[in-house]
């Protein structure tokens, strides 16, 4: 594991409370789809998250995750508590891994037989990201994630650090 | 760069095409070639129970004329088709397309299936103008129908066996017809006499009468559609069938048979063909009335005993 650069650790320790809000928008590959047609395999997807830095590497918070589709069969929408660990850090760039657990709409498309069992389902989301810090407070990067091993998503990431010092 | 982007855009647009207008009413405006639904088999490229229709023709004369449209629908657990495959003959050449969907209430969209993949498979039916399924006559099993099934050849059932030949050159499945009993008394009796159902999933021995059982001592055989249908919330698909051997006091030979065949999608007793003794037909009320209680006794969708 890469040691935390002293400057970042010190910065985090002395900084006033910071909130990181970010949004990831991209395309979701619907792994459970039995149809081979592209419109049934790929859907727009998004994640909106808010996290607090807990340590220089760890951020804790929550997020809304979802697949954006007009059909209720594909409508994945959940609320998850998430933890992001920055496993490789530089002053203005880092790789992170996120694990998130929560609950959401039990969409048909989350199931191998394309039939939802109930109205609410547990959600488990795993993600990796690469993000840059721009102009002190802005975050930009890319993120790939998997939801319930049924939805694989890749997209662009944009975030902002509220509070704290630059 | 612009050309590449245009090409990608065209490709994306092409692969999201909906079902063409002239395909939409194939079930009513076209001639159905097969009799009983064609069963799924190992490596089935159109996974599911299939029906094949010929549009724009008056009979099944090969080679087909230019302008002929062949439509194959495939249905799985759900009542509505999930796949429609089309073959269009133009300038003496077939063009192949596939349209799929996940849910009955969404539109079919064209897939990226390549012409060469389809052509390669249908090459095996070259002698029949590349279309495997032939218009069937009423199934008329011969005394050696069981042997015919083993060969995958039966003149009266060329549709099903030809389809099998296509998909399972190295792992021949049971003939689809051996999975679906005929729905006509004389043909059914001849079919039962062949013992084809004994290749299904059968109980190991004759069982004593079961709760709510009206058939005395019996032994049940379930076909693949019943035995492998995993989702207990869904009705069985069309083609699901059970044969019940009825026994008297000794187990030497059955004294009769009770047969049920799902002939229409849905969850009603009127979706089943029933036969026992002098009773025969779709939705026979005395059969439906009793079998409606199957879920109370561990069964489902009008079937009491599922043998896996």
């Amino acid at each position: 594991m890469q040691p935390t650069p002293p400057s970042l650790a010190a910065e985090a320790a002395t900084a006033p409370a910071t909130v990181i809000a970010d949004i990831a928008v991209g395309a979701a590959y619907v792994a459970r789809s039995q149809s081979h047609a592209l419109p049934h395999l790929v859907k727009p997807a998004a994640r909106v998250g808010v996290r607090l830095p807990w340590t220089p590497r760890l951020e804790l918070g929550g997020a809304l995750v979802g697949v954006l589709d007009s059909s209720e069969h594909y409508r994945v929408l959940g609320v998850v508590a998430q933890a992001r660990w920055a496993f490789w850090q530089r002053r203005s760039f880092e790789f992170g891994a996120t694990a998130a657990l929560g609950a959401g709409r039990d969409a048909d498309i989350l199931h191998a037989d394309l039939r939802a069992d109930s109205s609410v389902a547990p959600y488990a989301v795993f993600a990796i990201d690469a993000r840059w810090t721009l102009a002190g407070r802005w975050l930009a990067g890319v993120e790939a994630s998997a939801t319930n091993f049924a939805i694989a998503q890749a997209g662009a990431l944009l975030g902002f650090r509220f509070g704290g010092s630059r | 760069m612009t050309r590449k982007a245009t090409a990608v855009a065209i490709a994306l647009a092409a692969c999201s095409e909906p079902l063409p207008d002239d395909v939409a009413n194939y079930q009513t405006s076209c001639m159905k070639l097969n009799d009983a639904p064609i069963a799924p088999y190992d490596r089935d490229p159109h996974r599911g129970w299939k029906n094949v229709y010929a549009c724009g023709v008056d009979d099944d004369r090969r080679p087909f004329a230019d302008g002929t449209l062949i439509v194959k629908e495939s249905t799985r657990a759900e009542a509505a088709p999930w796949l429609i495959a089309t073959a269009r003959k133009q300038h003496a050449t077939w063009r192949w397309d596939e349209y799929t969907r996940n849910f009955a209430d969404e539109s079919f969209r064209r897939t990226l299936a390549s012409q060469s993949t389809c052509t390669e498979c249908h090459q095996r039916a070259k002698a029949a103008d590349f279309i495997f399924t032939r218009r069937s006559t009423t199934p008329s099993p011969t005394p050696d129908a069981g042997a015919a099934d083993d060969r995958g050849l039966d003149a009266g059932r060329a549709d099903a066996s030809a389809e099998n030949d296509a998909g399972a050159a190295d792992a021949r499945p049971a003939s689809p017809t051996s999975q679906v009993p005929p729905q006509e008394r004389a043909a059914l009796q001849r079919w039962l006499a062949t013992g084809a159902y004994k290749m299904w999933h059968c109980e190991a021995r004759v069982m004593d009468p079961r709760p709510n059982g009206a058939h005395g001592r019996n032994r049940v055989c379930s076909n693949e559609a019943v035995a492998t249908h995993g989702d207990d919330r869904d009705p069985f698909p069309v083609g699901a069938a059970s044969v019940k051997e009825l026994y008297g006091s000794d187990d030497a030979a059955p004294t009769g048979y009770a047969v049920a065949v799902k002939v229409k999608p849905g969850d009603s007793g009127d979706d089943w063909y029933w036969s026992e003794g002098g009773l025969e037909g779709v939705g026979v009320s005395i059969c439906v009335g009793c079998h409606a209680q199957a879920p109370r006794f561990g069964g489902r969708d009008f079937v009491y005993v599922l043998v896996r």
Side-chain angles (χ1 to χ4, degrees):
Chain A
M1 184 180 295
Q2 200 74 21
T4 305
S7 58
L8 280 183
E11 200 172 272
T14 58
T18 300
V19 175
I20 298 171
D22 64 2
I23 181 169
V25 179
Y29 170 73
V30 181
R32 305 286 198 211
S33 174
Q34 295 176 9
S35 168
H36 315 137
L38 202 60
H40 300 147
L41 281 172
V42 180
K43 300 284 183 183
R47 177 189 62 76
V48 180
V50 177
R51 296 180 303 280
L52 297 171
W54 206 255
T55 71
R57 287 183 180 274
L58 180 65
E59 297 168 7
L60 300 177
L64 276 172
V65 295
V67 170
L68 313 174
D69 196 82
S70 57
S71 164
E72 63 176 22
H73 300 296
Y74 296 91
R75 206 172 299 144
V76 172
L77 182 63
V79 182
V80 292
Q82 61 175 180
R84 178 183 180 277
W85 178 256
F87 59 85
W88 198 89
Q89 283 184 315
R90 287 293 179 266
R91 184 158 189 86
S92 60
F93 176 78
E94 59 187 48
F95 283 116
T98 298
L101 293 173
R105 196 171 174 282
D106 192 10
D108 292 329
I109 201 64
L110 293 174
H111 298 265
D113 63 356
L114 302 178
R115 297 288 176 112
D117 299 322
S118 58
S119 55
V120 177
Y123 275 35
V125 183
F126 300 95
I128 54 171
D129 66 72
R131 74 183 192 194
W132 286 263
T133 301
L134 307 173
R137 291 185 180 277
W138 287 95
L139 303 170
V142 290
E143 180 181 277
S145 67
T147 302
N148 285 15
F149 301 105
I151 306 288
Q153 181 182 338
L157 178 72
L158 184 66
F160 191 79
R161 291 179 199 272
F162 293 94
S165 62
R166 295 179 63 175
Chain B
M1 189 68 184
T2 309
R3 278 185 187 174
K4 274 187 181 175
T6 306
V8 169
I10 290 171
L12 288 175
C15 71
S16 64
E17 280 175 16
L19 209 56
D21 291 341
D22 62 344
V23 179
N25 298 317
Y26 66 91
Q27 287 176 322
T28 52
S29 61
C30 303
M31 177 176 70
K32 190 176 172 193
L33 295 181
N34 57 301
D35 193 359
I38 301 167
Y41 51 85
D42 194 26
R43 300 184 203 176
D44 183 351
H46 301 134
R47 291 166 294 159
W49 290 83
K50 298 165 288 289
N51 291 307
V52 181
Y53 300 81
C55 311
V57 295
D58 295 327
D59 55 22
D60 185 7
R61 187 176 302 155
R62 315 285 171 108
F64 289 108
D66 271 4
T68 300
L69 169 65
I70 304 292
V71 179
K72 175 189 275 182
E73 62 174 18
S74 178
T75 303
R76 291 196 284 216
E78 67 280 14
W82 78 280
L83 175 144
I84 289 178
T86 62
R88 289 175 188 279
K89 194 165 193 185
Q90 287 170 334
H91 309 298
T93 303
W94 290 103
R95 175 190 164 80
W96 315 94
D97 287 300
E98 275 189 10
Y99 303 82
T100 57
R101 64 182 177 183
N102 285 315
F103 304 103
D105 59 356
E106 75 179 341
S107 303
F108 283 98
R109 296 288 177 173
R110 195 157 77 86
T111 72
L112 290 171
S114 73
Q115 294 296 305
S116 61
T117 302
C118 303
T119 303
E120 191 177 315
C121 180
H122 280 260
Q123 188 75 25
R124 298 179 202 169
K126 188 175 180 181
D129 196 18
F130 298 92
I131 302 300
F132 289 109
T133 306
R134 286 184 180 278
R135 187 170 193 187
S136 56
T137 55
T138 301
S140 53
T142 55
D144 64 342
D149 285 348
D150 291 339
R151 296 195 305 271
L153 295 169
D154 183 329
R157 294 175 280 168
D159 55 338
S161 50
E163 171 105 7
N164 273 352
D165 287 345
D170 54 349
R172 184 178 302 284
S175 158
T177 306
S178 72
Q179 289 285 318
V180 184
Q183 291 108 59
E184 187 276 319
R185 185 179 300 165
L188 177 60
Q189 292 305 318
R190 288 195 296 270
W191 181 86
L192 287 166
T194 69
Y197 67 91
K198 293 177 183 175
M199 302 302 290
W200 297 0
H201 300 254
C202 297
E203 292 179 301
R205 61 183 173 81
V206 177
M207 309 295 284
D208 287 332
R210 287 167 254 234
N212 214 41
H215 300 283
R217 301 174 68 247
N218 63 75
R219 186 178 82 119
V220 175
C221 295
S222 302
N223 77 352
E224 285 295 323
V226 171
T228 62
H229 189 55
D231 192 334
D232 60 8
R233 291 166 302 149
D234 283 337
F236 291 108
V238 172
S242 291
V243 170
K244 186 174 283 181
E245 294 174 337
L246 310 179
Y247 288 87
S249 55
D250 75 68
D251 297 353
T255 56
Y257 300 90
V259 177
V261 184
K262 185 96 176 224
V263 293
K264 288 187 286 186
D267 56 4
S268 156
D270 294 338
D271 301 329
W272 291 85
Y273 164 87
W274 306 92
S275 173
E276 184 191 350
L279 295 172
E280 188 213 29
V282 173
V284 175
S285 59
I286 190 171
C287 304
V288 172
C290 181
H291 279 257
Q293 300 173 56
R296 292 177 52 206
F297 296 89
R300 57 188 164 100
D301 191 18
F302 296 88
V303 177
Y304 277 96
V305 179
L306 290 75
V307 188
R308 296 183 187 277

